[in-house]
Amino acid sequence: MPVNDSKYPNSAVIELGEVDLNCPSNCQIHNTHFFGTDRQIIRRGQAFSFYARFQNREWDDSVDQATFTVETGLRPCESNETKCTFPMGRCLDQTCWSASYKIHQPKCISISVFPPSNACIGRYILNMQITSCGHTYQRCLGDFYVLFNPWCADDPVYMDNQAHREEYVLNEHGILYEGVHKHITSRPWHFGQFEEGILDICLKILDMGASYHHGSDRDRCWRNDPVHVSMVVNHMISSHTTNSIMKIPENNDYLKGTKPFSWNGSVPILQQWYNGRCRPVRYGYCGSLASVMCTVMRCLGIPSRVVTNFCFPCSIENPLGINEIFDCTGKNLCGKDKLWRYHCWNESWMARRDLNQCCGDWQCLDPTPLETGRGSACSGPTWVRSIREGELDLDYDGQHMFSRVNSNYVGWLSQNNAKKTKFFCDAWPCGQHLITKSVGSEQFEDITGAYKYELGSVKNKEAYYRAYRRIHPGYCNASNCHIDRELSSLKNPFLSDSGINMRLKMANCPMYGEDVQLHWLLENLRGENKNLKFNLSAQIVTYSGCPMDQFWKDSVNVTLGPREVKKIPLCISYSQYGPYLCDHNIMKVVAVSDPECGEVLMVSRDIVINRPPVIVKLLSQPRLKVPCTAEISFCNPLQEDMKNCVMTLEGCGLFKEPMTIDLGTLASNQQARTIVEFTPYRLGSHRLLANFGCHRFAYCKGCSKAEVCCPAGQNGTLPVSQNGSLPVCENGSVPMNGSGPVPVADPAFNSMCEYICIPVCNPNCSAGGQPVYDFVYLPAGHPLCNTICNQGFNPSVNPGFDLGCDPGFRVICETVPPATCTPMHPSMYGSMPAPTSNPVCTPMPHVVFETGPAPAQQTGGGTGPMSYSVSVPANNAVSALLTHFMAGSGPTAATQAVPTHISAPPSHPVCTPVAHTIGTPIVHTISTPMPQPAPLSAPAASISHVVCGSAPSPTAQPPCGPMATLPPQPLSAPITRGMCSPGPCPAASPQEEIQSFSAREYQSATDGSQVPSAPCVLPLPRLKDEHAQIFWKKGKFGGQLLETIWESIFKAKAKG
């Protein structure tokens, strides 16, 4: 509106119009686009920009001023740094909240806002106040989120290695390591920090944990410090009195909640906590607690990882000693101390300003509340380097973290008179194996050296002495020798001191349902006879060191001659341990000598019983928002029925919520296969996780990687290769880059091109006329394309390629008619989508047909690529070699294909008709021998021949002709389907018949002097009453290629 004030005679109040927050671009720049691009999620220490448009005139600094206000929290105020007001200028001040602008378009400015590297994290409200021509008005521009920034050098969580940032901040998939130090097992875990709603849940955790700092000097602005944020998260995981995220079952009783080991990821846990009014989720264990904390920390922008420590002591009385007590039968008695077989905690990367650290390092945070001398509490953050150096007074809970990797094991034999005696044993030191998932790999990384120096080294002893004096104030001024004498008095004597060596060695790697086979090795180290009586025992032990039932006992008299070595086999049958195993798949076998024989000797072994595998197979290439099917199978290895069998499926980016399938009862040695359909909703690399549970055990895990890509033909542009050039894949040519053709066996082949083109003879060409070819585009991830790119089937790369071998894929299609180009429908290579009445057929990738004349010979020397058609029968010995040549020989300018989805037939005689819907299980069946499949056929109406060009499609089709029979296929493997031609192949007239090559004609063709002008047929050997033919015409075919094909034919014939 105009202003009459004499100060502004020619101006009007500027009117703010549309404001574009530019969320997609900002999220991409700030590495937050994984959350989605519909919200403004930015990282501190890095500016974000948006556009402001004005309705009536341009922005004028002389009469227009703007001020921004950002605020976060329930009661924002400037004193606790949760509210800030700052003006808009011409440049940014990177030491505080600031804003600047530049002209973007007429009546439009681009505004940049800079959140400082010490800003509090959380959800902010952004307000803009405009003063124009003496008038002031305000508008709320919306909200935005501020997270920690490991890409910013000024942020305490800065991590300078991009590969490490991708692993410890952006990776949603992890691996948890379990078992014992001699038998490490692993299972996948979904962190899911970018799943919908997780960010809001993580901020809710900070809100609920705000009372942790109440009354302290950090009561106000603690959200800007990663140290104190990590302390709040650590406290909220399991130590909060009423609103902790997860509880650990007491006395291993989890009847009132979910079994701790059945969880596959953090997302369902966090969602259940949030939707349940912030009440603890029942139940978890150390692995799930550490993983949930890792999810929260990564979501907030703090690099984090899960660490597993094997032989983890939990002592109440002596921080540097762990005691285990056994009776004379070898049974482990329950005492105050516990020796955990493994324990998981979290590590987070940050620079500790309170410790004057100038750069980031790993900080140890243990969210599992453990019993200590002062009660139950979580631990951390503790600088990992301070643990190694024994500097326990520098940090939070340094004493507890040091003792957990440096305690000494002491074993005792309890006799009837309550007398305890130390026995001779070779104890494994505590904390001698700490591992975590390695960067960019599925393998584990040993990080023991980060927590302690090599055992027995000078630095290791110095650190231990330093820590011992701080833990035991009475030894503050004691000498090192005095401390050594004290430690020696606590340790068990070695077995060798008694003149006997013993160990238990595994003879097999048992799985559920199998007997445990061991070899007990004894050696007499002295020159005199040894007569000993041993008591043998086996009992179940939980991962947390709680001894369960003793299910096996025995006694053996052993006589050892001088220097004699003896091996005694031991067997524990499944019928003995099976009823007691449950979810605790660890047993402890002990051999202890009778105290009446003199010295007490003991040897023990922790044994892990492997769980049966769950096999997960994707039956089609996962594509965004396109239904995909997967097969999950499980075999009952027990000699008894499994009751109450339940399969649970989940996967970030694949399932919006976990899918549960009730399988009922599974008989002994019977296999269940389940076909499920789901629709991926996020691009990228994901995992499909499966968990099987029954009355015997709660979990058996399986997973499969799922690379979700765009739907065929919707990528927009082809990806750029490393040298910056676009790959070309058209008319059967191999991809081209700036340095020439990409080798077919190049591993990067699939990642460079979106499709592979296979030409097929067009049915609309006139008999005897110029051949016309359609081009079938298959996705680069298609199994047939993978075979083309596999160097194992490339004779030029692998000279030992056996032409008679099974190429490893199945393509069923019709016999190509003679070269007269009689009507023939194009083949559908590969797999098809599962129709609504077909639960086992696999989805078909998008197939595109492009019509055009055969490329003419190019001028200026050389010829264009040869156009040809091929039909590959099932199990053809030469099909892999011929398919290899479908990659062509050179690029041409072909028209971009238009994606078209080919409809699938409504039913298939092999598949059992079962209706299903997306996102629910289609069918689960108990496997039985498959009957011989019936021949494939399909009505003409079910085949749509799409032509992208001027050539019309045939209006009428004769009935379907003879079709090759599907060979028997195991249901466990993806079964690909092919479609037969709607019409039979009419016989060619004598004038139209093309004679086969003779040796002389072959020689003329390879010399290039007499190349036939008409299309010719290379006859291929018959195999199982099927045959294939390859068409070619004059062009840049190459004598070498002809020679290779011709030689392959004779080799195949020679093999019969």
Side-chain angles (χ1 to χ4, degrees):
M1 57 184 150
V3 178
N4 298 324
D5 196 317
S6 59
K7 293 183 179 180
Y8 316 103
N10 299 318
S11 301
V13 174
I14 193 167
E15 298 179 13
L16 179 63
E18 179 185 356
V19 176
D20 179 7
L21 292 180
N22 198 23
C23 293
S25 177
N26 287 321
C27 290
Q28 189 76 32
I29 295 172
H30 287 253
N31 295 286
T32 59
H33 56 285
F34 304 99
F35 290 104
T37 58
D38 56 335
R39 295 184 297 174
Q40 191 80 290
I41 303 176
I42 57 100
R43 300 188 187 274
R44 64 184 193 174
Q46 186 175 348
F48 65 97
S49 61
F50 57 93
Y51 303 108
R53 293 176 172 83
F54 303 102
Q55 297 180 354
N56 56 340
R57 63 176 176 85
E58 299 288 347
W59 180 267
D60 186 355
D61 282 339
S62 63
V63 294
D64 303 322
Q65 293 85 36
T67 302
F68 293 95
T69 300
V70 292
E71 52 187 35
T72 184
L74 298 177
R75 292 177 295 274
C77 63
E78 295 182 357
S79 60
N80 62 8
E81 302 179 17
T82 56
K83 180 179 180 180
C84 185
T85 302
F86 50 96
M88 182 178 71
R90 279 291 190 174
C91 60
L92 294 174
D93 182 358
Q94 298 191 358
T95 62
C96 60
W97 284 95
S98 60
S100 66
Y101 82 95
K102 61 181 180 181
I103 301 300
H104 178 62
Q105 291 176 351
K107 298 182 182 180
C108 178
I109 60 174
S110 174
I111 302 174
S112 296
V113 175
F114 182 82
S117 58
N118 62 348
C120 294
I121 64 167
R123 176 176 173 267
Y124 282 77
I125 301 296
L126 177 63
N127 295 299
M128 184 178 184
Q129 178 177 293
I130 297 178
T131 300
S132 178
C133 302
H135 290 255
T136 301
Y137 61 94
Q138 183 175 321
R139 181 193 291 189
C140 178
L141 302 184
D143 62 348
F144 66 99
Y145 295 79
V146 176
L147 306 178
F148 291 108
N149 192 355
W151 282 264
C152 175
D154 295 328
D155 199 304
V157 301
Y158 172 66
M159 181 174 273
D160 61 357
N161 189 305
Q162 176 60 20
H164 288 193
R165 288 192 293 255
E166 292 177 357
E167 178 68 43
Y168 300 131
V169 180
L170 303 181
N171 191 1
E172 294 186 83
H173 310 292
I175 296 177
L176 300 185
Y177 296 99
E178 302 170 342
V180 297
H181 69 278
K182 290 185 178 180
H183 187 163
I184 298 175
T185 61
S186 64
R187 66 185 184 97
W189 186 270
H190 272 149
F191 293 120
Q193 65 267 29
F194 300 119
E195 284 295 294
E196 183 179 357
I198 295 300
L199 177 56
D200 293 315
I201 295 176
C202 293
L203 296 178
K204 180 67 173 180
I205 292 172
L206 298 184
D207 293 338
M208 299 297 295
S211 60
Y212 180 80
H213 289 296
H214 182 68
S216 68
D217 58 346
R218 301 296 304 184
D219 191 16
R220 296 183 295 175
C221 55
W222 58 270
R223 290 202 188 199
N224 66 348
D225 187 353
V227 174
H228 291 273
V229 168
S230 64
M231 292 175 67
V232 170
V233 175
N234 198 28
H235 174 73
M236 281 296 299
I237 294 297
S238 191
S239 297
H240 196 279
T241 53
T242 57
N243 298 113
S244 62
I245 297 174
M246 207 168 208
K247 287 293 185 183
I248 295 179
E250 297 180 0
N251 302 320
N252 299 300
D253 181 12
Y254 38 73
L255 296 178
K256 296 181 179 180
T258 303
K259 294 183 178 182
F261 295 98
S262 62
W263 300 104
N264 286 331
S266 306
V267 174
I269 297 173
L270 291 171
Q271 290 175 340
Q272 183 174 332
W273 174 81
Y274 185 78
N275 297 330
R277 297 183 179 182
C278 304
R279 293 295 180 182
V281 176
R282 304 171 185 261
Y283 289 103
Y285 77 112
C286 64
S288 55
L289 266 59
S291 299
V292 169
M293 181 172 184
C294 186
T295 296
V296 176
M297 300 295 275
R298 289 187 182 185
C299 181
L300 298 177
I302 302 176
S304 299
R305 64 187 183 184
V306 178
V307 173
T308 301
N309 176 21
F310 293 94
C311 292
F312 174 82
C314 185
S315 176
I316 296 178
E317 296 179 352
N318 182 11
L320 291 176
I322 178 74
N323 298 285
E324 272 197 326
I325 305 174
F326 299 83
D327 66 11
C328 58
T329 67
K331 180 180 179 180
N332 190 354
L333 303 178
C334 185
K336 295 180 180 180
D337 296 348
K338 298 290 188 298
L339 181 63
W340 292 35
R341 270 47 190 177
Y342 65 90
H343 180 60
C344 300
W345 62 65
N346 192 80
E347 279 186 358
S348 295
W349 181 274
M350 64 190 74
R352 298 286 298 278
R353 306 302 191 205
D354 55 328
L355 299 181
N356 298 320
Q357 294 179 5
C358 59
C359 57
D361 205 345
W362 289 113
Q363 315 293 327
C364 179
L365 293 137
D366 190 352
T368 304
L370 298 173
E371 291 295 332
T372 63
R374 57 193 175 109
S376 177
C378 57
S379 303
T382 307
W383 187 19
V384 172
R385 186 175 300 179
S386 71
I387 300 173
R388 185 178 65 176
E389 300 295 339
E391 300 288 351
L392 307 186
D393 53 352
L394 293 180
D395 220 341
Y396 303 97
D397 304 310
Q399 170 181 320
H400 302 295
M401 296 309 303
F402 182 88
S403 64
R404 291 169 187 177
V405 296
N406 289 281
S407 288
N408 295 297
Y409 175 87
V410 185
W412 301 87
L413 181 70
S414 177
Q415 302 183 33
N416 295 332
N417 55 5
K419 178 183 177 182
K420 292 193 298 183
T421 305
K422 288 183 188 177
F423 46 69
F424 290 80
C425 68
D426 295 333
W428 178 267
C430 299
Q432 287 301 305
H433 204 180
L434 292 94
I435 62 175
T436 187
K437 180 185 178 297
S438 60
V439 176
S441 171
E442 301 294 325
Q443 305 300 319
F444 66 77
E445 175 187 357
D446 191 332
I447 60 172
T448 308
Y451 280 83
K452 57 195 304 182
Y453 290 106
E454 184 179 356
L455 187 64
S457 65
V458 175
K459 289 186 176 181
N460 176 258
K461 291 181 178 180
E462 291 176 351
Y464 194 91
Y465 296 147
R466 194 179 299 118
Y468 195 90
R469 293 185 177 97
R470 285 168 172 78
I471 293 175
H472 299 284
Y475 290 84
C476 183
N477 298 319
S479 64
N480 294 344
C481 295
H482 190 186
I483 295 176
D484 283 336
R485 285 194 298 269
E486 181 68 20
L487 293 176
S488 298
S489 64
L490 296 176
K491 294 181 180 179
N492 288 82
F494 293 104
L495 277 172
S496 57
D497 297 338
S498 67
I500 296 289
N501 263 345
M502 294 189 300
R503 65 190 181 106
L504 293 170
K505 183 179 180 181
M506 296 302 301
N508 69 336
C509 190
M511 185 180 290
Y512 269 77
E514 297 179 354
D515 297 343
V516 177
Q517 306 287 343
L518 300 98
H519 289 153
W520 182 19
L521 305 178
L522 300 97
E523 180 183 6
N524 186 358
L525 302 177
R526 296 178 180 173
E528 57 188 26
N529 292 333
K530 292 280 187 178
N531 296 313
L532 299 171
K533 179 182 178 181
F534 285 93
N535 296 320
L536 305 178
S537 170
Q539 66 185 126
I540 303 301
V541 180
T542 68
Y543 82 98
S544 58
C546 294
M548 307 294 282
D549 296 328
Q550 184 184 36
F551 60 85
W552 178 71
K553 291 191 296 183
D554 200 357
S555 61
V556 177
N557 292 317
V558 178
T559 301
L560 293 173
R563 311 290 181 182
E564 182 182 2
V565 177
K566 184 171 289 187
K567 180 168 68 174
I568 301 176
L570 301 177
C571 178
I572 303 174
S573 66
Y574 171 75
S575 61
Q576 292 174 309
Y577 74 81
Y580 303 91
L581 202 57
C582 300
D583 287 336
H584 313 293
N585 62 330
I586 302 175
M587 70 169 67
K588 188 178 186 68
V589 178
V590 177
V592 59
S593 64
D594 195 316
E596 298 179 357
C597 298
E599 298 172 336
V600 180
L601 314 178
M602 197 271 281
V603 64
S604 65
R605 173 96 186 207
D606 290 336
I607 300 173
V608 175
I609 306 299
N610 293 316
R611 301 180 185 277
V614 178
I615 308 300
V616 181
K617 293 182 180 179
L618 294 176
L619 303 184
S620 59
Q621 170 67 48
R623 295 188 178 276
L624 183 65
K625 299 181 181 179
V626 176
C628 177
T629 53
E631 179 191 78
I632 297 90
S633 59
F634 177 85
C635 183
N636 177 9
L638 307 182
Q639 299 302 316
E640 59 178 306
D641 292 351
M642 287 183 174
K643 302 177 183 178
N644 305 323
C645 299
V646 175
M647 187 77 73
T648 303
L649 306 176
E650 60 185 278
C652 294
L654 307 176
F655 294 85
K656 287 287 188 180
E657 57 185 22
M659 176 190 297
T660 301
I661 305 170
D662 187 2
L663 300 178
T665 300
L666 191 59
S668 173
N669 296 318
Q670 203 166 21
Q671 188 175 39
R673 286 190 175 95
T674 303
I675 305 294
V676 296
E677 186 175 88
F678 59 93
T679 303
Y681 59 90
R682 276 177 52 195
L683 293 172
S685 178
H686 305 287
R687 284 179 184 166
L688 173 56
L689 295 184
N691 180 83
F692 177 88
C694 65
H695 77 293
R696 278 296 182 196
F697 40 78
Y699 75 100
C700 290
K701 306 291 184 180
C703 75
S704 177
K705 287 186 177 180
E707 298 288 342
V708 180
C709 57
C710 291
Q714 295 185 13
N715 285 2
T717 59
L718 291 174
V720 179
S721 59
Q722 291 182 354
N723 60 4
S725 62
L726 287 173
V728 179
C729 185
E730 52 194 26
N731 283 10
S733 302
V734 297
M736 301 287 293
N737 56 30
S739 58
V742 177
V744 173
D746 190 336
F749 182 82
N750 282 350
S751 63
M752 288 186 59
C753 57
E754 179 185 351
Y755 55 83
I756 291 179
C757 175
I758 298 180
V760 178
C761 183
N762 185 268
N764 300 307
C765 54
S766 59
Q770 178 73 11
V772 179
Y773 297 89
D774 292 339
F775 299 93
V776 182
Y777 290 82
L778 299 182
H782 190 276
L784 180 57
C785 303
N786 293 337
T787 305
I788 296 173
C789 304
N790 189 343
Q791 65 178 2
F793 303 113
N794 188 342
S796 63
V797 177
N798 182 10
F801 170 65
D802 184 3
L803 292 170
C805 70
D806 188 345
F809 63 94
R810 301 287 186 275
V811 181
I812 308 298
C813 47
E814 75 289 341
T815 299
V816 176
T820 55
C821 291
T822 51
M824 178 200 77
H825 267 282
S827 305
M828 295 186 201
Y829 293 85
S831 53
M832 301 185 303
T836 55
S837 60
N838 188 347
V840 299
C841 291
T842 57
M844 178 189 70
H846 293 276
V847 179
V848 178
F849 297 97
E850 180 178 312
T851 302
Q857 183 169 350
Q858 298 177 356
T859 60
T863 57
M866 184 270 314
S867 296
Y868 50 87
S869 173
V870 67
S871 176
V872 187
N875 301 326
N876 193 305
V878 196
S879 59
L881 176 63
L882 296 178
T883 308
H884 161 69
F885 295 118
M886 303 298 276
S889 57
T892 61
T895 306
Q896 175 65 39
V898 178
T900 306
H901 190 273
I902 306 303
S903 60
S907 63
H908 190 281
V910 178
C911 308
T912 305
V914 177
H916 67 277
T917 58
I918 296 175
T920 57
I922 300 174
V923 63
H924 62 271
T925 58
I926 306 301
S927 67
T928 55
M930 285 188 60
Q932 180 71 18
L936 278 170
S937 62
S942 67
I943 305 175
S944 58
H945 177 63
V946 181
V947 178
C948 302
S950 58
S953 299
T955 56
Q957 301 294 343
C960 185
M963 180 59 199
T965 303
L966 258 177
Q969 298 278 0
L971 194 59
S972 59
I975 303 177
T976 57
R977 304 283 187 254
M979 295 303 300
C980 64
S981 173
C985 305
S989 62
Q991 301 92 308
E992 295 173 341
E993 289 186 8
I994 307 297
Q995 296 181 353
S996 301
F997 267 131
S998 66
R1000 181 176 304 174
E1001 291 170 326
Y1002 161 71
Q1003 181 64 35
S1004 299
T1006 55
D1007 290 341
S1009 56
Q1010 297 181 14
V1011 179
S1013 57
C1016 295
V1017 178
L1018 288 177
L1020 299 185
R1022 285 177 173 267
L1023 187 66
K1024 296 183 180 179
D1025 297 327
E1026 302 170 13
H1027 68 278
Q1029 296 174 322
I1030 180 168
F1031 289 86
W1032 71 284
K1033 70 182 292 289
K1034 183 176 180 180
K1036 190 176 180 181
F1037 195 58
Q1040 182 178 3
L1041 179 60
L1042 272 176
E1043 184 177 1
T1044 304
I1045 295 180
W1046 192 253
E1047 288 176 356
S1048 68
I1049 293 170
F1050 281 104
K1051 288 181 181 179
K1053 284 185 176 180
K1055 292 186 177 183

